[in-house]
Amino acid sequence: MTSSLHSADLIVLESVDSTQRYAAEQIKSGEFLGGVLALEQTEGKGRFGRKWHSPSGECLAVSLVFTNYAKHPRPYLIGMSLAVACARAFRAQVQWPNDVVIHGRKLGGILTELLPNAEGQLIPVVGVGLNLNQSSFDDEIAGVAISLVMAHGLEVEPTEALARIMQQFETLREVQTWSDLAHYWERYDATEGKRYTLNDGRIGIAKSIGPDGELICDVDGHEERVLAADALMSSAV
Ligand code: BTN
């Protein structure tokens, strides 16, 4: 896979509300941007409108702008590829749709958004949040989160973490369909058996991942296929 980081700037900010929001503004105003990295986010965005904690200097918070994949048929596969790249870079696992986990706890998460540029073309912007150097977490997430320091005793600066992830990302073959990614994903996959809350409140137990990268789960003894936008992890992560 290829990012725009070689051909456009990476902006590094001391503090910002959200790198996703900052990238959205830049793209809309016509800026050709490779990415935005912030040492701190005051209003980091997670999936489903949740808050994402990004304490100063302790985590990676970066939004990568994939102008080169503006016409990608399945932009969510870019986020899943980045999850695999994170797992390869830091001896972690992936959990559908694109969480990065160690020992069943969340090391990082990925948020893929399609944001309009000055011409109204939709550009995939993939936000990567990774816990790096935290030695503890707020009570709210203490039971479900883990950092690289806690897991591996490894201290990494945010820009170094990004470099390691992008190095792995570039070794992945171009991903157009799930089958292009499946064999990489399966090596790191920790999804099977996890509980997901579906958008109608029912609970599904993960069985496998289907031919379009959708989750196949068991719901009350029946097999159902679930898209990423329709399922929330309900326990552990
Ligand atoms: C998740 O809920 O698992 C996804 C979390 C994504 C967080 C990252 S941090 C960098 C980027 N900027 C944001 O505001 N969110 C994403």
Side-chain angles (χ1 to χ4, degrees):
M1 298 285 283
T2 45
S3 76
S4 313
L5 281 180
H6 295 298
S7 52
D9 282 344
L10 173 71
I11 296 179
V12 179
L13 303 169
E14 199 67 37
S15 180
V16 72
D17 50 359
S18 156
T19 56
Q20 288 291 113
R21 199 205 49 74
Y22 188 94
E25 260 181 21
Q26 300 289 307
I27 300 167
K28 208 172 186 174
S29 66
E31 186 81 14
F32 181 58
L33 193 65
V36 185
L37 182 150
L39 299 181
E40 175 193 56
Q41 292 186 124
T42 53
E43 287 174 52
K45 293 184 348 180
R47 294 177 64 232
F48 299 104
R50 287 178 299 194
K51 184 178 170 195
W52 184 261
H53 299 252
S54 314
S56 183
E58 298 199 323
C59 56
L60 172 65
V62 66
S63 294
L64 298 162
V65 180
F66 288 94
T67 312
N68 49 330
Y69 292 137
K71 296 201 172 91
H72 198 288
R74 294 172 190 82
Y76 59 90
L77 293 178
I78 307 168
M80 294 180 97
S81 302
L82 273 163
V84 170
C86 291
R88 287 165 74 122
F90 298 116
R91 286 185 286 139
Q93 288 182 294
V94 290
Q95 202 164 293
W96 187 91
N98 46 35
D99 283 338
V100 185
V101 299
I102 297 182
H103 307 318
R105 291 176 180 229
K106 191 152 166 166
L107 180 74
I110 287 168
L111 176 68
T112 303
E113 296 182 299
L114 293 176
L115 302 174
N117 67 8
E119 287 85 47
Q121 194 179 25
L122 292 176
I123 309 293
V125 178
V126 184
V128 180
L130 218 57
N131 301 318
L132 301 177
N133 303 321
Q134 294 97 324
S135 50
S136 64
F137 290 97
D138 290 351
D139 288 351
E140 209 185 320
I141 56 168
V144 296
I146 195 163
S147 69
L148 272 184
V149 158
M150 291 159 81
H152 298 321
L154 181 68
E155 275 202 33
V156 188
E157 293 296 310
T159 48
E160 167 66 15
L162 176 62
R164 290 197 196 187
I165 294 165
M166 297 320 287
Q167 197 180 11
Q168 292 298 332
F169 185 71
E170 281 159 20
T171 67
L172 301 177
R173 88 154 78 97
E174 287 299 322
V175 167
Q176 293 289 314
T177 65
W178 170 246
S179 63
D180 296 325
L181 182 64
H183 80 282
Y184 296 115
W185 176 279
E186 281 157 11
R187 261 184 251 164
Y188 300 92
D189 193 13
T191 306
E192 195 184 338
K194 296 292 183 307
R195 285 161 57 91
Y196 289 82
T197 302
L198 311 191
N199 60 5
D200 59 8
R202 290 176 307 154
I203 300 292
I205 307 296
K207 289 174 74 176
S208 58
I209 297 176
D212 277 325
E214 77 278 23
L215 181 71
I216 301 178
C217 59
D218 182 285
V219 184
D220 302 329
H222 301 284
E223 192 172 283
E224 288 204 23
R225 286 165 190 270
V226 183
L227 300 177
D230 298 332
L232 190 68
M233 279 299 295
S234 63
S235 60
V237 180

